Amino acid sequence: MPGAGAACLYVKPIGLVVSDIFREVESDLRREQALALWQAYGKYVIAGAAVIAGGGLLVTLWLTYQAGQRAAQSDRYIAAIESIADDPSTMSADVFADLADGASAGYRALARFQEAALLAEAGSVERAVEAYDRIAADGGVDRSLRDLARVKAAYLLADRSNPDELRARLAPLLTETNPWRLAAKDAIAFAYFTVGDDATARSEYEVLALNPLTPPNMRLRANQMLAILGPAPAGSQSAEDAGPSTANPAGPQTGAPMSDDASATGGEPAASD
């Protein structure tokens, strides 16, 4: 054993020394490869990151702008409604026509409904129908609101339009799955009644009276019209005698509310763009 003053030295085995050298060389190679890759593609990475960050910023700015626009449109619409409620003498369809111009789809439809309702109340039926037709032709508006506009226009035209032309006008609503089908048939039935075609009017009203999906107010009116029309002449076939396929052609659908009980938007919720 060495003496007390002798220093103890530790010598690594040759295998460990070689292993350390290889690790250092491998680490240097990885650094050099990473540096080479960064020098070759680093600018593209930076450019891609800038594009992603810039795109995210643009999206955020656009969404913020849209939210601000919707808020401004909402404020203008509410202010117009409140001004009418406070002072009915200020009611003007032009106010809502101006609101509709440039508004998003949801507030555009709401403003058009109000415009058409005020025009109809003022006796300007043709202009009211035109306003409803603009809603019906607006592809940005929800389908249910476009169909409601067609129904409301049909009620205005029911006593002044050819029934066959009115039926053609409402043809898109007469499918079994359309929730406004019964309201459309109600308008068509009244159109036939106004021109004196009692047989067709009676047939349409019988369908509405016998259909279990007909809303109560619409069924009540159908029964009242049937009482006015009276029974069918002897030998003619009513909807009740024709069997269930004629009495209930509507199929599984939800009955639409009557036009005269609906609000300016027919009770539909406001649509969002």
Side-chain angles (χ1 to χ4, degrees), residues 75-116:
D75 291 341
R76 292 176 61 199
Y77 182 81
I78 292 173
I81 294 293
E82 289 178 345
S83 67
I84 290 176
D86 295 338
D87 184 5
S89 65
T90 64
M91 286 192 302
S92 173
D94 294 336
V95 173
F96 291 99
D98 292 340
L99 281 174
D101 293 336
S104 59
Y107 285 105
R108 185 167 65 246
L110 286 175
R112 292 291 183 205
F113 273 116
Q114 292 288 353
E115 176 194 3

Side-chain angles (χ1 to χ4, degrees), residues 27 47 62 75 95 115 124-125 129 132 144 158 165 168 192-193 234 238 256:
S27 177
W62 175 247
D75 291 341
V95 173
E115 176 194 3
S124 301
V125 175
V129 171
Y132 284 131
S144 63
E165 293 177 358
Y192 280 111
F193 172 77
S238 67

Side-chain angles (χ1 to χ4, degrees), residues 11-243:
V11 178
K12 282 188 177 181
I14 188 65
L16 294 178
V17 173
V18 172
S19 177
D20 290 344
I21 293 174
F22 275 120
R23 279 198 297 270
E24 290 178 5
V25 171
E26 185 178 358
S27 177
D28 290 339
L29 286 174
R30 283 199 298 266
R31 281 195 296 270
E32 291 177 1
Q33 289 173 347
L35 181 60
L37 287 173
W38 178 254
Q39 291 174 343
Y41 301 106
K43 57 184 178 182
Y44 300 111
V45 173
I46 294 174
V51 169
I52 294 174
L57 178 61
L58 288 176
V59 170
T60 301
L61 291 174
W62 175 247
L63 293 176
T64 302
Y65 170 78
Q66 286 187 317
Q69 290 293 103
R70 286 194 295 268
Q73 293 167 17
S74 175
D75 291 341
R76 292 176 61 199
Y77 182 81
I78 292 173
I81 294 293
E82 289 178 345
S83 67
I84 290 176
D86 295 338
D87 184 5
S89 65
T90 64
M91 286 192 302
S92 173
D94 294 336
V95 173
F96 291 99
D98 292 340
L99 281 174
D101 293 336
S104 59
Y107 285 105
R108 185 167 65 246
L110 286 175
R112 292 291 183 205
F113 273 116
Q114 292 288 353
E115 176 194 3
L118 291 173
L119 288 170
E121 186 176 345
S124 301
V125 175
E126 291 185 1
R127 290 183 60 195
V129 171
E130 290 175 359
Y132 284 131
D133 286 346
R134 282 195 291 272
I135 300 172
D138 190 342
V141 175
D142 185 80
R143 173 65 182 274
S144 63
L145 292 178
R146 300 203 308 269
D147 288 348
L148 173 60
R150 292 187 179 96
V151 169
K152 285 183 168 292
Y155 275 115
L156 293 177
L157 294 171
D159 61 348
R160 64 189 70 208
S161 176
N162 180 286
D164 294 331
E165 293 177 358
L166 189 64
R167 185 187 293 276
R169 180 187 181 90
L170 293 173
L173 278 64
L174 297 177
T175 60
E176 293 186 359
T177 56
N178 193 296
W180 297 107
R181 181 173 189 252
L182 295 173
K185 290 182 71 66
D186 185 37
I188 292 170
F190 187 72
Y192 280 111
F193 172 77
T194 58
V195 298
D197 189 345
D198 291 354
T200 306
R202 183 183 296 106
S203 176
E204 296 288 351
Y205 279 123
E206 284 176 346
V207 168
L208 292 172
L210 295 171
N211 193 326
L213 298 177
T214 302
N217 55 348
M218 192 181 296
R219 180 180 291 107
L220 175 62
R221 177 155 65 183
N223 286 321
Q224 291 172 340
M225 295 302 295
L226 288 172
I228 294 172
L229 290 165
S236 64
Q237 187 181 41
S238 67
E240 185 175 4
D241 297 332

